[in-house]
Amino acid sequence: MALWHLLSLDAPTVAALWTWFIARTCHVHLPAAATIAMAIAVWMLYAADRLLDSGSTRQDKLEARHIFHHRHRSIFLIGIVLSSVALTLLLPRLDGQSIRLYLILGGLVFGYFVLIHAARSAHRLPKEIAVGIFFAAATFIPTVARRPGLRLELLAPALLFAMLCSLNCLFIYAWEHPLGHSALARDHPAHAVTRFALRYLRLIAMAVVVAGTALAVFDSFAPWQIPFATAIAAALLLVLHHRRGTILPTTLRAAADLVLTTPLLLILFHR
């Protein structure tokens, strides 16, 4: 599991799984190319982000994933180049509306990417929140591009999933900075919104569990499996947080992404 995380395969796995899961629960046919393209694009983004972090952060502040990427920098760079070629070959197999929406999202992600690695502006949206929004949007795009009428129905589940993805990042931040916002390194302070969220992390996670369960039970429009899988994942993050002192850091970081694979638990309910 640790290697799955160190190779940056965790986020692509989660992204591809949720992309397929959302489409399947909405009875939308999604070609394999769409799921594969999603996995490749997310891997490229995460690998590039970790390579940039490893070059711009002090060595004593790096986490295991950054050190691993730095040590194998050449291999990851080759992988990114080859992945970009594969992604280019897959583009003709994607529908036009999905590509248009991904171009818009990609432009926003690229702009944010430049902002956090170049300017590090204090006014930017905190990374933990931005990742949740971008990640959730990417997984829902293939479905709403093929069925635009589902946009309103899927709005609440999409927002809830975005909160889950942000929670994933926030829990990881809390584990990697156990002293919290009061004792962060001076050269890499937490965003004010991040500090606020860390203060109420358990409460926010419990709110996602309750909201996800309520949507699954009472929302008669959107597929119940999506908010229910979100609620289970948030609950599992709380369990990991409670047991964080008994798990090795790299394994804990990998487990934080592993709990987002809850759609696998509901696969029997797909028809």
Side-chain angles (χ1 to χ4, degrees):
M1 186 166 64
L3 189 60
W4 177 62
H5 161 61
L6 293 174
L7 289 172
S8 289
L9 295 174
D10 43 4
T13 302
V14 172
L17 175 61
W18 275 88
T19 300
W20 169 83
F21 178 66
I22 293 165
R24 186 68 179 271
T25 56
C26 292
H27 306 288
V28 173
H29 173 70
L30 200 63
T35 306
I36 296 171
M38 169 66 72
I40 293 174
V42 171
W43 182 85
M44 290 172 60
L45 185 62
Y46 272 71
D49 182 60
R50 290 171 180 179
L51 285 173
L52 289 170
D53 279 342
S54 68
S56 62
T57 307
R58 284 168 42 188
Q59 292 296 309
D60 60 333
K61 300 296 181 183
L62 293 176
E63 303 298 334
R65 60 187 179 276
H66 302 120
I67 295 172
F68 186 85
H69 279 65
H70 185 71
R71 287 177 179 173
H72 304 283
R73 187 179 188 87
S74 298
I75 296 176
F76 277 104
L77 287 173
I78 292 172
I80 290 173
V81 171
L82 294 176
S83 295
S84 64
V85 173
L87 189 59
T88 301
L89 295 175
L90 286 171
L91 284 179
R93 298 178 177 272
L94 305 181
D95 70 282
Q97 182 61 15
S98 290
I99 293 176
R100 284 189 287 273
L101 291 174
Y102 275 131
L103 285 175
I104 295 172
L105 182 64
L108 294 173
V109 171
F110 179 77
Y112 186 80
F113 217 66
V114 172
L115 190 63
I116 62 173
H117 287 290
R120 294 192 180 276
S121 169
H123 301 292
R124 63 173 172 81
L125 187 68
K127 186 175 182 179
E128 295 76 20
I129 307 302
V131 168
I133 295 172
F134 291 144
F135 197 94
T139 58
F140 277 82
I141 278 177
T143 296
V144 298
R146 288 169 173 79
R147 293 270 302 279
L150 292 173
R151 290 178 182 178
L152 286 179
E153 293 179 15
L154 293 178
L155 180 59
L159 291 174
L160 196 66
F161 183 56
M163 289 182 64
L164 173 66
C165 295
S166 291
L167 267 177
N168 171 270
C169 297
L170 288 165
F171 271 114
I172 291 167
Y173 189 97
W175 300 335
E176 293 178 347
H177 304 84
L179 295 179
H181 63 277
S182 61
L184 292 172
R186 293 180 180 178
D187 59 338
H188 194 60
H191 192 282
V193 175
T194 300
R195 296 197 301 270
F196 177 83
L198 291 174
R199 193 175 296 117
Y200 300 102
L201 197 54
R202 292 184 181 88
L203 185 61
I204 297 171
M206 287 188 286
V208 172
V209 173
V210 173
T213 304
L215 274 177
V217 174
F218 299 110
D219 188 353
S220 59
F221 298 102
W224 65 268
Q225 295 97 329
I226 299 175
F228 191 56
T230 302
I232 296 173
L236 290 175
L237 280 174
L238 279 170
V239 173
L240 283 178
H241 188 61
H242 180 70
R243 298 182 58 84
R244 63 191 182 279
T246 65
I247 306 174
L248 293 173
T250 302
T251 303
L252 182 64
R253 174 64 177 80
D257 285 336
L258 184 63
V259 301
L260 298 188
T261 61
T262 48
L264 293 175
L265 300 176
L266 304 178
I267 194 171
L268 295 178
F269 294 95
H270 294 162
R271 293 182 180 178

